[in-house]
Amino acid sequence: MKKAYVHGYDHRENIRLQDQASTLVELLHSDTKYPAGSRVLEAGCGVGAQTITLAKNSPGALITSIDISETSLVEARRKTAEAGLTNVYFEQADIFNLPYVEDSFDHIFVCFVLEHLSRPVEALNTLKDYLKEGGTITVIEGDHGSAYFYPKSEDAHKAIQCLVELQRRACGNAMIGRELYPLLNQAGFKSVRVSPRMVYVDSSKPQLVDGFTKKTFTAMIEGVRESAIKSGIIEQSVFDQGIQDLYRTAEADGVFCYTFFKAIGNK
Ligand SMILES: C[S@@+](CC[C@H](N)C(=O)[O-])C[C@H]1O[C@@H](n2cnc3c(N)ncnc32)[C@H](O)[C@@H]1O
């Protein structure tokens, strides 16, 4: 599973995930608060970019955050300790082989993980086994097909498509956001509800221009430059022009839109 993953574990990717998390906290987390005493499993916590918010927003909940990458967990532990949070327990574990008793969590939270998995329904199904009857799962994913912007640029769309294609070759799905409703239903969750969370950025919102358009989205596409060119799916000049055009949308008259999808289902 781990190898089917386009984004690296490198320092730059960690910073990008952190920028993304702080920019999107309100949009993605404002309606996620778990009651005191509840046991929450965060599956695929990475470097802890969402963990901090989860733990802060639900100070009485007991959060178990797992990831397959020990390197990421080291960083997640460090950040959580630095934030003075004591309600998170980190453990290295594979979603497909969890070391817990079934029916033991009240809630499960999964963010930006399914897009990297070749078997997302199986992952959801497995997670469901660890959820108590009536418990909830919350899943957040992006969808790179939802990016549109001004000024328009074919090259920018081609550069974005490189990430989609590379993720597909790594058995992931960069356009999984739109599929959350069918995926959760296929995995047997009940009362599935999905809410699109649109990020709209123009220059009247300088924090989003910097934190989202530049440091989150464009940085993510830029991150696949070498693999895209090396794999021959795009010419270097087209890719570089596409990136330049994405940065162009961050200028005074530019506009950038992207939609995340947040799904909640019950066991
Ligand atoms: C893009 S990161 C997202 C991290 C975090 N949820 C966030 O939103 O910042 C995806 C994470 O899923 C983890 N992952 C992938 N496959 C996994 C598996 N089978 N079991 C546990 N974690 C996995 C990766 O190691 C990576 O840290």
Side-chain angles (χ1 to χ4, degrees):
M1 269 301 108
K2 194 172 110 185
K3 64 183 181 326
Y5 185 53
V6 171
H7 309 148
Y9 298 109
D10 64 2
H11 186 58
R12 200 162 78 138
E13 170 67 0
N14 288 354
I15 292 172
R16 193 192 68 76
L17 284 171
Q18 199 50 59
D19 279 334
Q20 170 166 304
S22 39
T23 305
L24 303 174
V25 163
E26 187 59 24
L27 185 76
L28 302 181
H29 282 271
S30 57
D31 53 345
T32 300
K33 290 183 175 59
Y34 298 116
S38 56
R39 282 197 73 199
V40 179
L41 174 67
E42 182 194 10
C45 64
V47 294
Q50 317 298 333
T51 315
I52 304 283
T53 309
L54 276 181
K56 277 187 186 160
N57 286 353
S58 303
L62 308 164
I63 300 167
T64 301
S65 295
I66 64 113
D67 201 281
I68 204 162
S69 158
E70 184 56 44
T71 319
S72 295
L73 285 170
V74 168
E75 175 65 7
R77 279 193 194 97
R78 190 193 62 73
K79 279 210 302 261
T80 312
E82 203 176 85
L85 296 160
T86 54
N87 57 334
V88 188
Y89 169 72
F90 289 100
E91 187 160 30
Q92 181 180 20
D94 182 345
I95 288 170
F96 294 96
N97 187 23
L98 289 171
Y100 305 115
V101 175
E102 295 195 351
D103 302 311
S104 57
F105 291 95
D106 299 290
H107 304 283
I108 296 181
F109 181 90
V110 194
C111 185
F112 307 140
V113 176
L114 295 188
E115 61 177 305
H116 301 292
L117 305 181
S118 58
R119 296 169 286 149
V121 174
E122 202 179 315
L124 289 168
N125 232 318
T126 305
L127 287 169
K128 188 157 62 76
D129 290 340
Y130 295 87
L131 202 51
K132 290 181 190 167
E133 216 50 50
T136 69
I137 187 163
T138 297
V139 183
I140 301 175
E141 291 291 343
D143 188 316
H144 295 350
S146 75
Y148 55 93
F149 34 80
Y150 176 83
K152 66 179 183 182
S153 158
E154 272 312 304
D155 290 343
H157 281 294
K158 283 180 187 160
I160 295 168
Q161 197 51 38
C162 288
L163 194 153
V164 173
E165 175 58 17
L166 289 171
Q167 200 146 324
R168 190 192 65 77
R169 292 182 185 186
C171 300
N173 179 1
M175 305 208 295
I176 202 168
R178 69 189 68 181
E179 294 180 30
L180 289 186
Y181 184 80
L183 289 173
L184 266 74
N185 275 303
Q186 278 170 48
F189 286 99
K190 294 181 222 155
S191 309
V192 178
R193 52 267 185 210
V194 176
S195 57
R197 313 268 163 131
M198 187 193 183
V199 188
Y200 166 81
V201 190
D202 63 34
S203 58
S204 69
K205 303 167 179 175
Q207 262 182 319
L208 280 177
V209 169
D210 191 57
F212 190 75
T213 308
K214 290 184 183 172
K215 289 187 178 156
T216 297
F217 192 82
T218 307
M220 175 178 67
I221 304 301
E222 223 175 347
V224 301
R225 182 180 186 274
E226 268 152 56
S227 7
I229 294 164
K230 207 165 135 198
S231 67
I233 55 176
I234 195 164
E235 279 178 35
Q236 183 176 324
S237 58
V238 176
F239 189 90
D240 290 343
Q241 185 59 53
I243 295 298
Q244 208 173 306
D245 291 350
L246 284 174
Y247 280 117
R248 171 69 184 82
T249 71
E251 287 179 22
D253 62 345
V255 171
F256 190 88
C257 303
Y258 185 89
T259 304
F260 292 92
F261 294 83
K262 182 168 183 174
I264 301 173
N266 290 73
K267 178 167 172 180

